[in-house]
Amino acid sequence: MITKIDHLGIAVRDWETAVARYTTLTAGPPQHIEEVPEQKVKVAMFEVGEARIELLSATAPDSPIAKFLEKRGEGMHHICFQVPNLEEALQRLQADGMEILPGAGSAGAQGRRVAFLHPKSAAGVLIELVEKL
Amino acid sequence: MITKIDHLGIAVRDWETAVARYTTLTAGPPQHIEEVPEQKVKVAMFEVGEARIELLSATAPDSPIAKFLEKRGEGMHHICFQVPNLEEALQRLQADGMEILPGAGSAGAQGRRVAFLHPKSAAGVLIELVEKL
């Protein structure tokens, strides 16, 4: 069903420090920086093998990331897996009793179609699925 | 410096349910199940592309995973990156002001040499480094 880890989302409060830390870890600057106005976030992407690290910073106080930071502090926000076909994956997961969050099929970073699973369906982890381009 | 995500560690309370969920997600049973007595954990490994998902369950009340579950509940515990040479990576990271946790160089799951970085050095994320075999 899932073919690889697409990226790991990390919620950050201190953007400059976080970008510097992951630049050191991945031995290079972010390959891509983007604002996603619909989600009120700024993202920086660092390549790591076949996957990426996505730093997420809130661009408004009512951003989902701002709320996450308030509740949990900086740290892992979600795991994104790549699937060949989003509808097929969601149908199979629902058939196995996993809960899909509202808004499935909408556009995420870089305009790709995504869906999120409820953390209670995956041992407390927020899982994003993204369709392969 | 880091070449790929080696695995993602997820702390689980309900072992049976978590194994069933990740079996559905990865479309197959765990490739590997192991107890690591030194860390008082049981682990299940699921392959996902070039990386793996590691479910972590406590085998004793004083296990670090038991303490994590008490404080944070189920969810993401750490990200493990692969490095070609552990000593070299640790030296570079320390030179850049990142804090290495005590016990660096000891054996983790499957007997490989590992080290952990303090979460405050990486935007709240506990990072494990493992040397390539």
Side-chain angles (χ1 to χ4, degrees):
Chain A
M1 160 129 36
I2 57 179
T3 50
K4 67 166 188 166
I5 297 168
D6 186 87
H7 65 264
L8 304 180
I10 298 172
V12 309
R13 193 173 273 134
D14 180 347
W15 176 261
E16 299 302 330
T17 302
V19 168
R21 293 302 196 186
Y22 284 87
T23 295
T24 295
L25 267 168
T26 63
Q31 276 75 38
H32 178 80
I33 291 183
E34 178 188 6
E35 276 203 37
V36 187
E38 309 89 53
Q39 290 169 28
K40 298 176 184 168
V41 293
K42 182 160 75 163
V43 309
M45 289 286 201
F46 297 82
E47 274 175 33
V48 181
E50 67 181 12
R52 291 168 300 161
I53 301 290
E54 178 187 61
L55 301 185
L56 294 154
S57 170
T59 55
D62 62 338
S63 160
I65 293 302
K67 288 174 197 162
F68 177 90
L69 287 168
E70 213 171 282
K71 216 193 277 186
R72 309 265 307 182
E74 288 194 315
M76 275 294 304
H77 181 263
H78 68 272
I79 303 174
C80 180
F81 294 117
Q82 202 177 88
V83 293
N85 182 298
L86 191 61
E87 269 69 36
E88 206 180 286
L90 295 178
Q91 272 173 22
R92 280 206 229 169
L93 294 172
Q94 274 182 315
D96 265 6
M98 294 176 88
E99 191 181 328
I100 317 298
L101 293 179
S106 62
Q110 300 178 283
R112 296 191 300 165
R113 297 176 64 242
V114 301
F116 285 89
L117 311 185
H118 195 293
K120 77 177 180 195
S121 291
V125 179
L126 176 61
I127 288 184
E128 181 181 14
L129 299 177
V130 63
E131 194 169 68
K132 196 174 184 302
L133 274 184
Chain B
M1 160 132 30
I2 56 180
T3 49
K4 66 166 188 165
I5 298 168
D6 185 86
H7 66 265
L8 304 179
I10 299 172
V12 309
R13 193 172 273 135
D14 180 348
W15 176 261
E16 299 300 332
T17 302
V19 168
R21 293 304 196 186
Y22 284 86
T23 295
T24 295
L25 267 168
T26 63
Q31 276 75 37
H32 179 80
I33 291 183
E34 178 187 5
E35 276 203 35
V36 186
E38 309 85 56
Q39 289 168 30
K40 297 177 185 168
V41 293
K42 182 162 74 165
V43 310
M45 290 286 201
F46 297 82
E47 274 176 30
V48 180
E50 68 182 13
R52 290 167 302 160
I53 302 289
E54 178 186 60
L55 301 185
L56 293 155
S57 171
T59 54
D62 62 337
S63 160
I65 293 302
K67 288 176 197 159
F68 178 90
L69 287 167
E70 213 171 283
K71 218 192 276 185
R72 310 266 305 181
E74 287 195 315
M76 275 294 304
H77 180 263
H78 68 273
I79 303 175
C80 179
F81 294 118
Q82 202 175 89
V83 293
N85 183 300
L86 191 61
E87 269 68 38
E88 205 179 286
L90 294 178
Q91 271 173 23
R92 279 207 230 167
L93 294 172
Q94 274 183 314
D96 265 6
M98 295 175 88
E99 191 183 326
I100 316 299
L101 293 180
S106 61
Q110 300 178 283
R112 296 191 299 164
R113 295 177 64 241
V114 301
F116 286 89
L117 310 186
H118 195 292
K120 75 176 182 196
S121 291
V125 180
L126 177 60
I127 289 184
E128 180 181 14
L129 299 177
V130 64
E131 193 168 68
K132 196 173 184 302
L133 274 185

